[in-house]
Amino acid sequence: MHFAAANPRKTGPIDRPDARRSPRNAVISGRYLEPGADLYMNDEVGGNPRRARFQALCQALRPDLLRFAFWLSRDRAVAEDVVQESMLRAWKAQDSILDEKATKPWLLTIIRREYARTFERKRLVTVDVDELVAREEPLLAAGEDHDLRDLRAAVLKLPDEYREPLVLQVLMGYSTAEIASELNLSGPAVLTRLFRARKKLREACAEDTALDPQE
Amino acid sequence: MTDHTRYRSSILADPHDADPELQAHLAACPECRAFTERLLRFESRLKRALSVDVAPSAPVLSFARKAASPPRHWMAIAASVLLGVGMAAVIWLSLPQRSLAADVLAHMAGEPDAWHTLEAVPGAELDAVLQSADMRLKPAAGIVSYAQRCRFRGHMVPHLVVQRPSGAVTVMVLEHENVRGATDFDEHGYRGTIVPIAGHGSIAVLMRDQSVSLSEIEQIAAQVGNSILWMR
C-alpha cells in the first residue's frame, strides 16, 4: 500500500524564505534567523534572562512537541528538524506570547505550519507504510508490551486526516472546538474523523467491536 | 432521548464527552456502561501509545556562536546545555506519573456512580475492602460513602469516596504504584494529586469540585495519608 506521507496543510499565509536556511546557522532578519546569529548576546532582541526563560519553556514543552511532530510526520528525523525550525521561529515571535499557558498551542500551530512547509519542499515523499513502521521501530517499541507496539503501528498507518485530530485530542488534550479551529474544520467534521479513527484503530487491534455503531 | 447508537457514536468520537444527555443514558444503561469501561481502557492505552519515548538528544535551540565571542560565553553555553539536559531529564522522569494520572482518570470515568451516595458504607463492608489491602482508616479521614476493590493496572486496589468538609473526595490506594513526588492533575473535570506514601506506594486523591484548589487537595491528601494505618 502506498500513499503520500502527508498532505500539505493550508493554514494561512506565511512568509517563505528566499534561500535555504539552516537552523544551526541563524540570525534574525525579517521573520527568519540567518547565518551568524548569536542569541546568547544581549542584542536588540533581548537579554539573557529573557532568553533563558524562553528556552526553559521550550525545553519543558519539547517532549510533547516532538511527539506531536513525530505523529504528524511519522519520521523521527523530520520531527526533530521541524521542532528545531519551529523553535527558531518561535524565538523570533516570542513577543506575541501574552500568556505562558497559551505557549503550547501556539507552538503546536507553528509546528503544523513548519511541517506543511517541509512537505512543500519535499514534494516527492511517498512511502510504503510497512517500510515506514519498520524504519520507526525503535520509537514504536514498548518493551515487552507487544500490544502497545501494535497500537502505535496502527496509529502510524492511519490516514493523516484521522491521525492528526486524534493526536490533538488524546495527546494534547484539545477539545473538539479547538481541533476544529486548528484544522479549519467544522465541529461535526472533527467528530466524524475522530469516530472513524477510533473505529479503525479498534479494528486493527482486534478489540471487541461487536457493540460499535456503524456509520 | 439518547439511544445506544447515538451514545456510542458520541463517545467513540470523544470518550470524555460530558454532555448531560449522554451521562443520563450512561447512568441508565448497563450495556453502554460496560461499553464505556472497555473504551476507556482502550483510551488509556491509546494515550500511552501516543506518548512515545523521545529521549532528549540536543538542546532545544542550537545557534552558532560569533567568532569574536569571549571564552566565558562557552561556559554560559555549556551551563545552558547542562541545564537544558537536566530539565529534560526531570520532565522525562515525570512522564510515567502523568500516565498514572491518566489511568486514574480513566478509572473514574468508568465508575460515575461512586460519587452519588452520601451515606456511610456499613462498617463490615468497609473493613473487608480495607483489610484486603492490609490497612485501616482512622475516623479522622471522614465518612466513607463508597468503598470497592477495583482492578487497576493488574492489581486489586481500594477505591474509596470520603465525605470531607470541603466535599466528596475520591481516594485510590495504589500500593503497587511508586511515584517520585507529588503529581498534580486538572483534567476532564477532575482535580487531584498523586502523592507517595513511604513504603506503601502512593495514593491518588481527587475531587470534582473545581472551587477547591490543588493546594487544598494536597493538604487533604496529606491528611488522608496520615489517617491510614498499615497492618504490615
Side-chain angles (χ1 to χ4, degrees), chain A residues 23-25 36-41 51 55-56 58-60 62-64 66-67 71 76 80 84 87-88 139 145 147-148 151-152 155 169-171 191 194-195 198 201-202 207 211-213, chain B residues 5 8-9 12-15 31 35 38-39 42-43 45-64 66 69 73 77 80 84-85 87-88 91-92 95 98:
Chain A
R24 296 182 185 279
N25 294 292
D38 182 1
L39 298 179
Y40 293 91
M41 303 290 286
R51 182 187 175 284
Q55 180 153 2
C58 291
Q59 195 73 278
R62 189 175 189 262
D64 271 351
L66 259 179
R67 287 187 187 104
W71 289 116
R76 170 70 188 253
E80 296 224 358
Q84 172 72 1
M87 292 293 103
L88 291 167
L139 209 55
D145 194 340
D147 289 344
L148 203 59
L151 182 50
R152 285 175 175 165
V155 174
Q169 185 192 56
V170 178
L171 194 59
L191 291 171
L194 291 167
F195 170 84
R198 284 194 176 83
L201 287 181
R202 285 159 62 77
E207 286 281 311
L211 295 177
D212 283 14
Chain B
T5 302
R8 290 173 198 168
S9 297
L12 270 173
D14 182 0
E31 201 177 55
F35 178 82
R38 283 199 299 276
L39 179 63
F42 177 77
E43 196 67 9
R45 287 185 60 73
L46 178 58
K47 186 160 187 177
R48 280 162 57 198
L50 293 177
S51 299
V52 288
D53 290 351
V54 282
S57 58
V60 172
L61 293 167
S62 305
F63 303 107
K66 276 185 179 173
S69 295
H73 283 152
I77 293 168
S80 175
V85 170
M87 288 183 66
I91 291 158
W92 186 245
L95 287 177
R98 271 193 257 160

Side-chain angles (χ1 to χ4, degrees), chain A residues 9-12 14 68 72 102-116 164-165 167-169 172 174-187 190 193:
Chain A
R9 288 157 175 79
K10 305 299 182 189
T11 50
I14 296 288
F68 178 66
L72 203 59
T103 304
K104 188 171 174 180
W106 178 68
L107 288 170
L108 292 176
T109 300
I110 294 176
I111 285 173
R112 288 188 66 248
R113 292 177 177 181
E114 184 56 38
Y115 176 61
E164 189 171 4
V167 172
L168 284 171
Q169 185 192 56
M172 301 301 158
Y174 274 40
S175 67
T176 302
E178 287 167 336
I179 298 170
S181 170
E182 182 67 38
L183 302 186
N184 200 20
L185 295 169
S186 68
V190 170
R193 292 182 184 200

Side-chain angles (χ1 to χ4, degrees), chain A residues 2 35 38 62 73 96 106 112 122 133 138-139 144 185 189 205:
Chain A
H2 287 75
D38 182 1
R62 189 175 189 262
S73 64
S96 61
W106 178 68
R112 288 188 66 248
K122 300 177 181 176
V133 169
L139 209 55
E144 296 300 307
L185 295 169
C205 295

Side-chain angles (χ1 to χ4, degrees), chain B residues 113-127:
Chain B
D113 294 341
W115 300 91
H116 292 164
T117 179
L118 296 174
E119 291 176 14
V121 173
E125 206 174 300
L126 176 60
D127 287 346

